[in-house]
Amino acid sequence: GAVVSQHPSWVICKSGTSVKIECRSLDFQATTMFWYRQFPKQSLMLMATSNEGSKATYEQGVEKDKFLINHASLTLSTLTVTSAHPEDSSFYICSARKTGRGTGELFFGEGSRLTVL
Amino acid sequence: SQELEQSPQSLIVQEGKNLTINCTSSKTLYGLYWYKQKYGEGLIFLMMLQKGGEEKSHEKITAKLDEKKQQSSLHITASQPSHAGIYLCGADRGNGGATNKLIFGTGTLLAVQP
């Protein structure tokens, strides 16, 4: 079953509104989570690293005031797309590593599809 | 900056046939991940390779990392319609230590005809 869960799976909003996407690690703690975005027919691009208890670190070209990240607890990171515009429409996916017995698995959530009208 | 190239970009095979997808890096790979994605859905973890020459198998899927750690291949034996999807390789951006931040390849779209 899923070990990283995202909510909502899809959301449609009007231009100018803000949208929050949640990423939860199930049954394990994640001090670090990662947010990616994927445009249609393209690969995933890392947006930012979400750090529990401290500020997120953003990749070059990603507006931190546009994409607010809050790592509220060891199992929850949220991505808020502020004042969303149609060009923000994309598939947003988070990831977290489940530490354990050396499996090296880096799990991804189911993704959240954002459509801005 | 590191880049990952996958080939082929898309592939259509008859059910029961074998196939191979390649992932080539411009730099030495520290950690190489293979994922499968259904369009518009999340990524399903398949395998992770770290050591040069490493090979892992799960059911009918085998992944290999070459000795130089710059190329990986994913081989599916006796393909089934359930194998259809987008296959992505991802490389850890670290230069010797894991960062858990991945750079992804361009993806390979696989269709399996019954």
Side-chain angles (χ1 to χ4, degrees):
Chain A
V3 296
V4 176
S5 179
Q6 283 184 240
H7 177 81
S9 300
W10 58 269
V11 56
I12 301 172
C13 69
K14 292 182 179 179
S15 186
T17 60
S18 295
V19 175
K20 181 186 286 186
I21 300 169
E22 294 183 348
C23 176
R24 292 182 184 274
S25 57
L26 307 178
D27 300 326
F28 71 99
Q29 295 180 337
T31 55
T32 307
M33 293 182 177
F34 305 91
W35 286 96
Y36 293 79
R37 67 187 298 180
Q38 184 180 33
F39 290 108
K41 299 184 180 179
Q42 294 187 24
S43 194
L44 283 76
M45 296 294 292
L46 179 66
M47 296 175 66
T49 302
S50 174
N51 305 298
E52 192 273 334
S54 63
K55 292 182 180 179
T57 52
Y58 291 81
E59 295 300 302
Q60 192 172 11
V62 178
E63 300 174 59
K64 60 181 180 182
D65 296 329
K66 174 77 168 172
F67 299 100
L68 299 179
I69 292 173
N70 186 316
H71 204 126
S73 73
L74 286 170
T75 59
L76 173 64
S77 174
T78 60
L79 169 69
T80 301
V81 183
T82 62
S83 186
H85 287 95
E87 57 265 31
D88 298 323
S89 298
S90 187
F91 193 57
Y92 294 88
I93 312 180
C94 66
S95 74
R97 175 178 290 279
K98 182 177 182 180
T99 57
R101 297 173 62 178
T103 59
E105 297 182 21
L106 191 57
F107 290 97
F108 282 78
E110 311 97 327
S112 299
R113 180 165 301 284
L114 170 63
T115 301
V116 185
L117 302 176
Chain B
S1 60
Q2 186 175 18
E3 292 183 351
L4 287 180
E5 282 202 21
Q6 282 184 240
S7 63
Q9 287 189 345
S10 61
L11 190 56
I12 304 173
V13 299
Q14 205 74 30
E15 183 176 358
K17 297 294 186 183
N18 303 335
L19 64 105
T20 300
I21 298 169
N22 294 301
C23 176
T24 303
S25 171
S26 58
K27 294 184 178 181
T28 300
L29 294 162
Y30 174 72
L32 190 284
Y33 296 76
W34 282 101
Y35 291 90
K36 179 185 173 185
Q37 183 183 31
K38 294 281 189 182
Y39 180 72
E41 298 181 13
L43 276 65
I44 300 169
F45 174 83
L46 296 176
M47 271 166 280
M48 186 259 193
L49 305 167
Q50 262 188 310
K51 300 175 184 176
E54 188 174 9
E55 179 176 322
K56 289 185 179 178
S57 293
H58 177 67
E59 296 180 345
K60 295 185 178 180
I61 300 176
T62 300
K64 300 178 184 179
L65 182 62
D66 74 337
E67 289 288 346
K68 290 184 179 180
K69 295 171 63 175
Q70 284 193 272
Q71 186 166 23
S72 179
S73 61
L74 187 80
H75 184 79
I76 299 178
T77 305
S79 58
Q80 299 171 353
S82 60
H83 287 126
I86 300 166
Y87 288 83
L88 292 162
C89 63
D92 196 295
R93 289 165 50 169
N95 290 320
T99 66
N100 299 322
K101 302 178 186 180
L102 301 188
I103 299 171
F104 281 91
T106 46
T108 296
L109 176 61
L110 171 65
V112 180
Q113 290 184 329

